[in-house]
Amino acid sequence: MTTATTGAAAKAAGRTKPATMAQALQRAMRDAMAEDPTVHVMGEDVGTLGGVFRVTDGLAKEFGEDRCTDTPLAEAGILGAAVGMAMYGLRPVVEMQFDAFAYPAFEQLVSHVAKMRNRTRGAMPMPMVIRVPYGGGIGGVEHHSDSSEIYYMATPGLHVVTPATVEDAYGLLRAAIASDDPVVFLEPKRLYWSKSDWSPEAPARVEPLGRAVVRRPGTSATLITYGPSLPVCLEAAEAATAEGWDLEVVDLRSLVPFDDETVAASVRRTGRAVVVHESGGFAGPGAEIAARVTERCFHHLEAPVLRVAGFDVPYPPPMLERHHLPGVDRVLDAVARLQWEAGN
Amino acid sequence: MTTATTGAAAKAAGRTKPATMAQALQRAMRDAMAEDPTVHVMGEDVGTLGGVFRVTDGLAKEFGEDRCTDTPLAEAGILGAAVGMAMYGLRPVVEMQFDAFAYPAFEQLVSHVAKMRNRTRGAMPMPMVIRVPYGGGIGGVEHHSDSSEIYYMATPGLHVVTPATVEDAYGLLRAAIASDDPVVFLEPKRLYWSKSDWSPEAPARVEPLGRAVVRRPGTSATLITYGPSLPVCLEAAEAATAEGWDLEVVDLRSLVPFDDETVAASVRRTGRAVVVHESGGFAGPGAEIAARVTERCFHHLEAPVLRVAGFDVPYPPPMLERHHLPGVDRVLDAVARLQWEAGN
Amino acid sequence: MQQRSSTVQEPHAETAHRPTPPPAWRPRTDPAPLLPDTEPLRVLGTDAVADADPALLRRLYAELVRGRRYNAQATALTKQGRLAVYPSTTGQEACEIAAALALEERDWLFPSYRDTLAAVARGLDPVQALTLLRGDWHTGYDPREHRIAPLCTPLATQLPHAVGLAHAARLKGDDVVALAMVGDGGTSEGDFHEALNFAAVWQAPVVFLVQNNGFAISVPLAKQTAAPSLAHKAVGYGMPGRLVDGNDAVAVHQVLTEAVARARRGGGPTLVEAITYRIDAHTNADDATRYRADGEVEAWRAHDPVLLLERELTARGLLDEDGRRAAAEAAETMAAELRERMNADPVLDPMDLFTHVYAEQTAQLREQAAQLRAELEAEGESR
Amino acid sequence: MQQRSSTVQEPHAETAHRPTPPPAWRPRTDPAPLLPDTEPLRVLGTDAVADADPALLRRLYAELVRGRRYNAQATALTKQGRLAVYPSTTGQEACEIAAALALEERDWLFPSYRDTLAAVARGLDPVQALTLLRGDWHTGYDPREHRIAPLCTPLATQLPHAVGLAHAARLKGDDVVALAMVGDGGTSEGDFHEALNFAAVWQAPVVFLVQNNGFAISVPLAKQTAAPSLAHKAVGYGMPGRLVDGNDAVAVHQVLTEAVARARRGGGPTLVEAITYRIDAHTNADDATRYRADGEVEAWRAHDPVLLLERELTARGLLDEDGRRAAAEAAETMAAELRERMNADPVLDPMDLFTHVYAEQTAQLREQAAQLRAELEAEGESR
Ligand SMILES: Cc1ncc(C[n+]2csc(CCOP(=O)(O)OP(=O)(O)O)c2C)c(N)n1
Ligand SMILES: Cc1ncc(C[n+]2csc(CCOP(=O)(O)OP(=O)(O)O)c2C)c(N)n1
Ligand SMILES: [Mg+2]
Ligand SMILES: [Mg+2]
């Protein structure tokens, strides 16, 4: 879990800019595969097609079908086979095609991937990445837009990581592949085509897992968020300046382990917090975040930690999803409810 | 969702007392099957054997194998077939043999059972009960003691219900079977053999779903709990009197929907709360409970809502489980940390 | 021989050289009749077609032409932004139509996400069938009214539903059959296995139709299975497997009709594999040139289901220019109406988000609904 | 014939009556050799046994006797409260032993929760094998050291692991074979299906051994499957299915050895069904009288694996009183040692709860570990 650079590979490959998040993810796998022959990419349509989101584009061509493999269509089988491959010393990087299509693999994930190291007293680690495109906002029909992060967060033994920027997509995926633990790597679908001037010359950072980052410093209140909701929060923070609020925005990046240090430090400073995610609110990630922030910062809080989340309903059809997804207005409404009259 | 009585059936059957929770559950299914020919019990070993916990004992004999069916060994198939049966107007009561063996059915549960009513605009409801023996404390080997309630709580469209007393086992299961929505009915394994003087003469109550109940009134602080942890909390409350604390104990009974009214009323009264469950704490049920209680009672709280939970580790082997399960001492330790010096 | 001591009971020694199978061994079913024929059944272009009812042939033809046009129209609607996505069944119309026509009204159809055409051929309003793909709601029809289960996206998960429904109908004494559709890729899912096993053990009146169209998105059949055929899987469940040319509408119709009849008379389930081909890309969003050669597509165009039937009808004098024109015109009318109706924006109520989550709205959802209502009102005011 | 118009391309009309299969149709494998024989293979009591190596027969006999004794001892340990639970393989020793002996040292065994005996026969310390069932930890050994995967409780989930491991070994160029064990009930799980399919598509060097012992807890095979045999499932994946008398140690050993050799030389996976019987209850906690008749058990006692082999050896003069006594004494020594070692309380460290959840302990677990440590210290003080 160290911060390393991979300048050589980066230079050799001659990246162009700006790059999308999908491209950064592809590059992360490519660099990892070039460096480490035990890294194997597998899943439905990841080979010849390069994945339905083209995230594995070109890998089968460059590394051969044995390193980037189109599997039969069976998610439990894919993850189960990956467990066996990891048992033999490989580092599988598994792609689940969509969030809801990872559910068939749930038993393998919970009962084996998450527990294998523990049940064997460390003898049999599971260095494995399970990439899951997640969340909505892309007009997908039912079963294509679930925010399933809570299922993974609630399962001890897994790391749960989600990038919100192009840079992090690269840095965190490299770290996830390098990790000796299983990492559920949640890729925000609606940010796949987000772009950044991701410099091809500068050494690419491998981010440490488990560290949140302050994306925008502020003093009035803290917005705690991750993945697809980061852009929403940044926009809300800009809009809030008009109301005289200077909002700090924390991007969690890693849901497990949770970076209490960074988050609590921010909330202690600002005294108010709103958690923002598009996953359902009830028993969602925000519940844990609100609860632990409150436990740690109770006497610094001027108001209860509020949650802005998707509604507690099955994900809506494309034409209605905009009413479901927390947008800038809902974030600002929550900020307004932070009992400003009561405190400072 | 009404409170009804089934005195006639109860009298006819001539119960003996005291009864165990397992017997009360059996009786609930028996009465429901006698009253409603659309109720079908199905699962692994539920027929001839009467279930590994004997909860379905005698049902196949009394109602025939078509009404209480030993299925092939495949949980997704069982739940998937139950979906089809519900589509045709039956009310399946599905037994999953143990908590961890419900995971293979996760996709059917999340993508179909929970969503069917919604995706068909109410045309195709899913009146179905999925009975899941859950939790530890019975010396079970790995995969036999998971507290999986959060996975179900986080899935909109499901009710999640769990009894803690013999009476409720009957009353809540009857209500669950009568519900027109799918109910995940979590049965605390270690309470299967708990007993009560469950009167065979008195009319058996069908409890409404969605209502918590105060099991012990108190004034100093509220213990919020459910299922297997209720006896622990009641014992802790008794022990606490020695320290001068008069603890109120709330049994949630229904995790979804959540009875905010009862819970918030209690916490507003006492000003302090501890959530107790044996599920892991991180992203566990207590996170939601703590977060929503704080949202609703912030200015009544003298201290942050604390959580006493299982550790965030895979469930331990039998010989170590006592170190994992929250016991009376941990509850009392948490109560002691409720910042008594600060407030009243 | 020395004196012997043994911890286990010893029968007479003379039986030693008579090999008997273990006590529990009773071959319960003869596997031979469960195995599919070595070649897929074809009727069109063979002598067997002489037995086919001309009315059926004409009906199939009209439906195929209509189905082809429906596919073209739906694809066009994606280009106009009127459908979010469309998985076409161009080239697979024979399977879609035959599946619908093999069923009685009281029977149930369990379509996969690709099978809107089968639903339409069964009589469902195409606009309702396309609701999912337009995106105004998930299921656009009342499944019980049409006895068509919701179009199913999680692959193979609808198969156990079909088994459960057929089983329930049988328990109730109704002679209802369920026909479930799945793709070649879907057969790899555990749910396929579990459904077929339940069906066989329960002798449920269900017919499984696998449309083997050669691909699961980009993945060709050879990477999906090493089986002699998908129909060979049947024997492992103790049910008959049938192999049929999926582009021969008459053959598919015949095989399915027989399987439905067998199921109805209590003969249990059947697995049917129809060999067909997906002429278009996986969906409009897919680029099929990334994974298959044009030549392959061309070979299949020569084996087109509409063509095969048209040729037969023409050769037998059952179809003339007028007939063709009539079929084409009927299809055109359907397409025009569909286009027009799909050009209207659907009327949406955002509050529907909360209406059907539970039988009774929970307090929690009432709160959230109130929030959305307030937002919508504020939005309305600000407009 | 009138003039024709068509929207689709039309080849020459004279081909109309030549039935050709659809373009993609190529039967890839001949199903015949994949089908199992109609009767389970037996060697003991047949002429074929003449070919068997006497050393192997003796080895198998010694192991069977030891295995039988191991089962008795483990069951006794449950009564003494030294094991939380024990699923016995009494009556199934031939399968357990043959599975272990069919493998080379570099190969991998994937046992189910019932198969501690196979692990012990492969050389694992029985105390380590029984750790799971004693309850001091989950897996009591280093899987890599012994090339024995953890005993697997969630049924059939170990099968894809075996496939993945075998596939990985092959990719690395190691000629390692994986042998995976599963019960008749476990074959109903989706994971069974997916594992066999992956194995066949990848031609992975893996052997699947189904111990058909007639029951899944209380559920008899007839409620589990309607297949002619479980081995018939193989053809649906494109791999050979073999049927063997699971109480005939020589036959099971032969079939497994052949399947392992086939896998090793790149011939791909095999599905083996061994017909056997669970003489004891499901576990010591189960009451088998609730679901099966004594007569059935007695019939199987007459077909006991130890008995079958003992009879053969005796008839051929390969076993005399001394030999029997030596085998029994060796088994007794093993049992005495096991009993003694299991009578010692295992040394437990509650802090192990936190040690192996992650490679590096997280801050959160460090906090929780500190809490437990403080509690333990307080407990220690108060004692
Ligand atoms: C459980 C599941 N996994 C993955 C997907 C994503 N997906 C949608 S269609 C498809 C390919 C389906 O292939 P096949 O079963 O052959 O049907 P076809 O598309 O050819 O009709 C995939 C992988 C899904 N819908 N469900
Ligand atoms: C996924 C799963 N479902 C249910 C169980 C509970 N269970 C344990 S053993 C057993 C029966 C297994 O039967 P079979 O596969 O024939 O193996 P056997 O016990 O006969 O060796 C069941 C249902 C389980 N362990 N895993
Ligand atoms: Mg296909
Ligand atoms: Mg068995």
Side-chain angles (χ1 to χ4, degrees), chain B residues 82-104:
Chain B
V83 167
M85 291 164 71
M87 282 179 163
Y88 204 76
L90 301 186
R91 290 184 175 266
V93 179
V94 170
E95 175 173 307
M96 293 284 156
Q97 202 159 80
F98 281 87
D99 27 63
F101 308 143
Y103 301 151

Side-chain angles (χ1 to χ4, degrees), chain C residues 3-6 9-10 16-17 20 28 40 42 45 187 190 193-194 197 224 227-228 233 236 307 310-311 324, chain D residues 4-6 9-11 16-17 20 25 28 42 45 187 190 193-194 197 224 227 233 235-236 307 310 324:
Chain C
Q3 222 225 307
R4 299 158 61 195
S5 75
S6 172
Q9 200 191 319
E10 167 72 341
H17 277 269
T20 51
R28 272 157 316 181
R42 281 197 67 191
T187 66
H193 174 71
E194 301 188 9
N197 190 42
Q224 201 67 249
K233 292 182 183 290
L307 178 76
E310 189 170 281
R311 189 195 298 162
R324 267 189 296 276
Chain D
R4 300 158 59 194
S5 76
S6 172
Q9 199 190 319
E10 167 72 341
H17 278 269
T20 51
W25 175 244
R28 272 157 316 183
R42 282 197 68 192
T187 66
H193 173 72
E194 301 188 9
N197 189 43
Q224 201 67 247
K233 293 182 181 289
V235 65
L307 178 77
E310 192 171 279
R324 267 190 296 275

